Structure formats: structure tokens, C-alpha cells
Amino acid sequence: MTTIQELTTPQSMTDIQEFVDYVDSFYGSDDSIYPMMSRETKQPLTQMDIHRATGNYLQMCLDESNELYTWGNGDSLDRERVRDILLYDYNYKFVGE
């Protein structure tokens, strides 16, 4: 299990930014593979929202009562779970949907 202390080291903060960049490369606005945009504003996905959704996901990973979520060091499952948070909690959609 990941602890809050492990997530707040300088190296972990760098790793989280690299993960945000990784998510952005798949769903962001700059030549991404599967671009997303807000259903409400039609604006492209922002790194700020990726950071926020990542924070939500990390909180779920830290919750000892929630055994379904574990931090995989920024792997593809982590990316897909953050994607789902963006789709369902932040009201994003894929461009062209």
C-alpha cells in the first residue's frame, strides 16, 4: 500500500508530473491519441483537471477500506482510471462523441 509520505517526496512529485504528462499525451489537447473535451464548455482537457483527477485517484488509492484501487506507479491501468474520473466525475467526453 502506498502512503501519503511516499507520495509527497520530491521524486514522487516528479513522478506524478510525468504521469500527468502521460495522461495528457493520450487525452489532452496537444496532438493526443484520444482527445477529450468538456461536455459543458467544449474546451479541451487541461493539465489542471488531469492533476485534480489524479489527486482524486490517489486519495482512493490511499483509502485502506477501498481495496479496488492501488497505485501502479503510473501504469496504463492508473491512466485508464484517471480517464474514467475525467469522463464521469469531471464531465469530459471524447472529441467527436
Side-chain angles (χ1 to χ4, degrees):
M1 164 129 199
T2 303
T3 66
I4 192 69
Q5 289 83 11
E6 293 170 327
L7 291 175
T8 56
T9 66
Q11 182 58 52
S12 290
M13 300 303 277
T14 299
D15 293 344
I16 290 170
Q17 181 57 52
E18 288 175 2
F19 174 71
V20 168
D21 293 341
Y22 170 55
V23 173
D24 190 49
S25 73
F26 270 77
Y27 310 116
S29 61
D30 191 24
D31 197 32
S32 61
I33 300 169
Y34 307 106
M36 295 170 75
M37 67 181 190
S38 169
R39 288 182 185 277
E40 297 159 357
T41 67
K42 308 297 186 229
Q43 294 298 308
L45 177 63
T46 64
Q47 280 217 350
M48 177 62 78
D49 280 343
I50 297 170
H51 270 286
R52 290 174 53 217
T54 299
N56 294 141
Y57 177 59
L58 290 172
Q59 285 290 338
M60 294 180 343
C61 292
L62 290 169
D63 182 354
E64 292 181 11
S65 67
N66 190 346
E67 297 179 5
L68 296 177
Y69 295 97
T70 57
W71 177 242
N73 294 314
D75 64 8
S76 60
L77 182 58
D78 293 329
R79 174 181 48 81
E80 291 167 354
R81 287 180 170 160
V82 168
R83 175 205 61 204
D84 291 346
I85 291 169
L86 290 164
L87 289 170
Y88 302 112
D89 296 344
Y90 287 77
N91 207 19
Y92 275 91
K93 69 175 190 166
F94 292 106
V95 172
E97 215 178 56

